[in-house]
Amino acid sequence: RLPEGPGPAAPSANGRPQHWPALLNPCSLTGSPSRNVWFHIVEADGLRLRSKFCIGPSSGCVVSVRLDKREVHRSAPRSSAKGCPDFRETRIVSYGGETLIEFVVLQLGALGGQRFVGGATLALPSLDFFDGPLELRAMDRPVGSLHVQVGWQVLSGSTGNGAL
């Protein structure tokens, strides 16, 4: 039989017992769990792409993923004759309190130029999980859609290991 530990400690201001070790606290100094944001770019649909771009054929499309206007990922180029490139890319990126995640589709030119096709944004603070098409817009007009999944990876406070 194991000896019994000390009796319950009086709760602190945050509701945890006062003897709770700081290293085991799953919360950061702000009181919220440490976490990363993950996203999966599935495919684009109905894009209006130019067949000729920058004096030559298009080299396909990429998706630039931005957290508060800071690019955190750029997909590999994908081509599609019917405006429906299939990306199938998943990434996990550090979350530093940003409020927006933006997906921007760019068409690449054969000579290195790029053309903005459209973009869509999700608000992160109110997001638990998103799985569906985002309407891409350019100059306040719909230009197609991008199917994405976005969610959170919560990190364990003691080891830094994640659990989706």
Side-chain angles (χ1 to χ4, degrees):
R1 182 172 171 199
L2 294 173
E4 291 191 31
S12 64
N14 65 8
R16 289 190 186 85
Q18 291 178 353
H19 66 270
W20 184 271
L23 291 176
L24 296 179
N25 185 348
C27 298
S28 66
L29 295 176
T30 62
S32 61
S34 297
R35 57 189 179 167
N36 293 325
V37 63
W38 66 267
F39 53 86
H40 179 69
I41 307 165
V42 182
E43 66 184 353
D45 189 32
L47 298 180
R48 298 180 187 130
L49 303 175
R50 294 182 186 167
S51 59
K52 296 277 186 187
F53 176 60
C54 286
I55 311 174
S58 172
S59 296
C61 292
V62 296
V63 177
S64 170
V65 182
R66 304 165 183 184
L67 294 176
D68 284 349
K69 298 185 181 183
R70 177 179 54 92
E71 185 173 74
V72 295
H73 175 67
R74 183 173 284 232
S75 73
R78 299 285 192 257
S79 298
S80 173
K82 297 182 181 182
C84 304
D86 192 11
F87 293 97
R88 307 274 182 215
E89 289 193 22
T90 302
R91 293 293 182 274
I92 300 172
V93 295
S94 297
Y95 177 69
E98 295 87 356
T99 57
L100 299 174
I101 185 167
E102 181 180 18
F103 297 90
V104 176
V105 177
L106 302 165
Q107 185 176 12
L108 302 177
L111 300 176
Q114 58 186 23
R115 180 182 76 86
F116 174 79
V117 176
T121 305
L122 289 171
L124 287 171
S126 60
L127 182 77
D128 287 327
F129 175 74
F130 179 84
D131 180 9
L134 292 173
E135 181 181 61
L136 296 169
R137 298 185 74 81
M139 298 181 66
D140 291 327
R141 294 190 178 147
V143 294
S145 64
L146 183 67
H147 188 141
V148 299
Q149 297 173 333
V150 181
W152 297 102
Q153 176 193 45
V154 179
L155 300 175
S156 167
S158 61
T159 63
N161 292 331
L164 294 177

